[in-house]
Amino acid sequence: MLIFCKTRIIVIVVGLAALSACGTTYQVTELSEAYRAEAKAIFAQERNPQTATTGKRLSPKQAFHQFNRVVRRVEPVAENFCRQNSQDRKAFDCDVLIRVDTKAEERNAFQTYNKEGKPLIVFTLPMIADARNEDELAFVMGHEVGHHLAQHIEKQQQQAFAGALILGALAAAESSPYVDSSINQRNIENAVNLGMKVGNKAFSQTYELESDVIGTYIAKTAGYDPVKGAKYFARPESPKTADGQLSFWGTHPPNEKRIAVVLATVDKMENSGSKTLDRVERKKPTSPD
């Protein structure tokens, strides 16, 4: 029993270490009360239909032209920024492809990988048509590139594995020889599934803020206004689509802190002149004796 308990402790420690390693790669800009207050005012303005920023609705042809203009300016900046901030990673792919999904009916933009493993940023047609200005497109584009640069998909997979490992190990340790084995197995499977869900949600807010920082750098370097662009996230939209799936605002939850981070990052860029990100310093985890 002593050996088993020690093994269980090691498994849990390893799982927790894996979760802690999935934190942000780059520093999220520190916020003063002034930034928070300004962001609160901007956020309230965008949530109020009477004071929200308005934009002329473009025709599909005009929307495509606007989108293509933004891609031509943002894509080379984003790829160069990615290379500058990933020099410590061997063969990291910064050749980001930006594509349009012409079939999807919902407004959405997301980062993924194609069949060859190339980083891919996808915008749906409704998302392109919904943009009120080029700044919004540029910021969302930079934000999605940020998910790739910060390796959020890979980290979420690690988190899911670590969460499953932790709760699965705990459930296995609590299995009783006096309970039917099928019940013990079902309890372990339920714990593993719950652990995966918990792991997937870990750091989700900080990942969004980290991508907002990166999106700010990219959009501003490309000549756009990140604060104006970030207002897209502050819209009073439903987190669910008509079919019950998470909408763009469900996967990118709107809150005042997002706007504050953009405001603070813009000032940091202007005051320091730096175009490289500050990395998070990590201590190496210690293993149990």
Side-chain angles (χ1 to χ4, degrees):
M1 177 63 74
L2 180 61
I3 295 174
F4 176 76
C5 288
K6 187 172 182 180
T7 302
R8 178 176 57 157
I9 292 170
I10 291 173
V11 169
I12 295 170
V13 168
V14 170
L16 288 171
L19 269 179
S20 65
C22 295
T24 59
T25 302
Y26 306 103
Q27 292 281 1
V28 174
T29 318
E30 292 185 9
L31 304 178
S32 66
E33 285 305 314
Y35 291 128
R36 293 180 186 275
E38 185 178 356
K40 185 176 182 179
I42 293 173
F43 190 79
Q45 177 186 352
E46 291 303 306
R47 303 293 278 184
N48 184 344
Q50 310 235 328
T51 58
T53 305
T54 57
K56 183 181 178 182
R57 187 75 177 184
L58 301 178
S59 69
K61 185 177 180 180
Q62 290 173 321
F64 256 118
H65 281 314
Q66 175 174 260
F67 179 75
N68 288 333
R69 282 198 304 272
V70 175
V71 171
R72 285 194 295 270
R73 284 176 60 177
V74 170
E75 188 171 24
V77 170
E79 291 179 354
N80 184 56
F81 184 81
C82 176
R83 285 189 289 271
Q84 288 178 338
N85 288 277
S86 63
Q87 294 179 11
D88 60 324
R89 300 178 219 168
K90 187 177 180 180
F92 187 75
D93 192 356
C94 287
D95 182 18
V96 179
L97 306 176
I98 302 175
R99 298 291 185 264
V100 178
D101 182 344
T102 58
K103 296 180 180 179
E105 298 179 355
E106 300 290 345
R107 293 169 292 171
N108 202 6
F110 56 91
Q111 184 258 319
T112 185
Y113 298 95
N114 67 11
K115 293 179 180 179
E116 290 72 41
K118 296 285 295 179
L120 184 64
I121 307 298
V122 179
F123 280 74
T124 65
L125 275 178
M127 184 78 167
I128 293 171
D130 195 51
R132 297 172 293 192
N133 50 64
E134 292 188 15
D135 301 281
E136 289 186 341
L137 284 173
F139 185 78
V140 173
M141 213 171 283
H143 172 94
E144 297 303 333
V145 172
H147 282 307
H148 169 58
L149 177 57
Q151 298 180 285
H152 290 159
I153 289 179
E154 294 83 353
K155 287 181 178 181
Q156 285 182 326
Q157 290 171 343
Q158 293 169 13
Q159 289 164 208
F161 172 76
L165 181 67
I166 294 169
L167 291 192
L170 286 172
E174 297 303 321
S175 296
S176 171
Y178 305 106
V179 176
D180 186 274
S181 60
S182 63
I183 296 176
N184 282 332
Q185 183 61 31
R186 188 162 61 248
N187 288 340
I188 293 172
E189 290 173 358
N190 289 338
V192 168
N193 290 331
L194 177 60
M196 289 182 70
K197 291 179 181 178
V198 172
N200 262 325
K201 289 183 179 180
F203 305 107
S204 59
Q205 183 185 35
T206 52
Y207 284 172
E208 287 301 310
L209 295 176
E210 182 180 26
S211 289
D212 287 343
V213 171
I214 296 170
T216 300
Y217 272 84
I218 291 173
K220 185 169 176 57
T221 304
Y224 291 104
D225 183 345
V227 177
K228 187 176 180 182
K231 290 180 180 180
Y232 192 86
F233 289 95
R235 295 189 189 187
E237 301 278 355
S238 172
K240 295 286 184 71
T241 62
D243 60 359
Q245 300 298 313
L246 286 176
S247 70
F248 180 79
W249 291 269
T251 56
H252 300 76
N255 58 54
E256 298 166 9
K257 192 172 183 179
R258 299 189 77 145
I259 305 294
V261 164
V262 174
L263 288 167
T265 304
V266 167
D267 277 359
K268 182 177 180 180
M269 288 182 69
E270 292 178 347
N271 292 332
S272 68
S274 174
K275 294 184 179 180
T276 56
L277 300 164
D278 296 327
R279 298 182 72 89
V280 174
E281 296 294 330
R282 297 193 193 287
K283 293 181 179 179
K284 292 185 179 180
T286 55
S287 58
D289 295 331

